[in-house]
Amino acid sequence: MSEITGVTFPVPKHLMPPRFFKDKKTVFIKPATVFKELRSGMKLVFYQSHEDTGYVGEATIKRIVIDDDPPLAFFETFGDAVFLTKEEAKAYVASQERWRGGIRVRKEAPPRKRPWMALELEGIRKYDTVKKPERFVPVGGGRYLRA
C-alpha cells in the first residue's frame, strides 16, 4: 500500500477563502474522524465543498491536538487562530448531538462522545486554479492522501 502523505477535509466555500486565505486563520478543527495516521509535517489539502468543488489550497500540519472535550477548549489554546467562531463551533456541536449515523436520535438516547482534533497549520497557500480530485471526498469524514 502507498505511503500516507497527508489528508483532505471538505470546507464549505463560504468559509474557505475568507478564513484561510484572507483572514489567515491557522487552526482547522473538526470531529476526529481521519486522524490516526496523521503526523506533523504532512499536508492538509483543502477541499472546497458545496459549489466550485475541488482542491483549492494546502498547508503543512505543524501540530495535531486531540481533545475529548468539546471544541470550545481549542479557543483557550489557539484563540482567534481557529477558523470557526465560537458560535459556529457551538452550533455545529448542537447539530451533531441530534444526529448519529445519519439517523435522528431520540432525546433520551445518550449522546455519543467523539474526540475533536485541531490541526495547527503553517505555509498555507492557495492554488491558482481549483483542482478536481481523482476520488470522492466524503463530507463527514475526509480522507487520507497517498503518494
Side-chain angles (χ1 to χ4, degrees):
M1 184 153 253
S2 55
E3 176 186 0
I4 294 172
T5 59
V7 67
T8 185
F9 293 111
V11 179
K13 182 179 180 176
H14 74 277
L15 294 177
M16 187 61 240
R19 304 291 171 90
F20 290 103
F21 303 137
K22 181 179 172 264
D23 297 340
K24 308 289 187 199
K25 301 294 184 176
T26 58
V27 178
F28 179 78
I29 65 171
K30 73 173 295 305
T33 50
V34 177
F35 70 94
K36 292 180 181 177
E37 302 296 325
L38 287 184
R39 304 289 176 264
S40 296
M42 289 183 169
K43 292 288 181 193
L44 167 64
V45 176
F46 298 109
Y47 177 81
Q48 181 171 273
S49 63
H50 297 308
E51 63 178 282
D52 300 328
T53 60
Y55 298 139
V56 295
E58 66 181 52
T60 301
I61 299 170
K62 180 178 177 182
R63 178 169 59 147
I64 303 165
V65 179
I66 306 291
D67 198 329
D68 287 328
D69 289 331
L72 297 182
F74 292 133
F75 290 92
E76 293 176 23
T77 304
F78 298 107
D80 194 37
V82 176
F83 91 104
L84 294 176
T85 66
K86 285 183 183 180
E87 293 73 27
E88 289 166 339
K90 286 178 189 176
Y92 183 86
V93 169
S95 73
Q96 294 302 300
E97 288 174 356
R98 292 191 311 265
W99 296 89
R100 189 180 325 144
I103 59 170
R104 192 172 177 106
V105 294
R106 288 177 275 156
K107 289 184 181 181
E108 60 268 8
R112 182 175 139 213
K113 190 165 182 163
R114 172 182 286 174
W116 276 69
M117 75 172 169
L119 301 179
E120 187 176 17
L121 307 170
E122 60 186 1
I124 296 172
R125 72 178 187 93
K126 181 180 179 182
Y127 297 153
D128 293 333
T129 59
V130 176
K131 300 176 182 182
K132 297 297 179 186
E134 293 177 17
R135 294 179 51 207
F136 176 74
V137 178
V139 173
R143 70 175 183 85
Y144 289 120
L145 299 172
R146 298 177 184 277

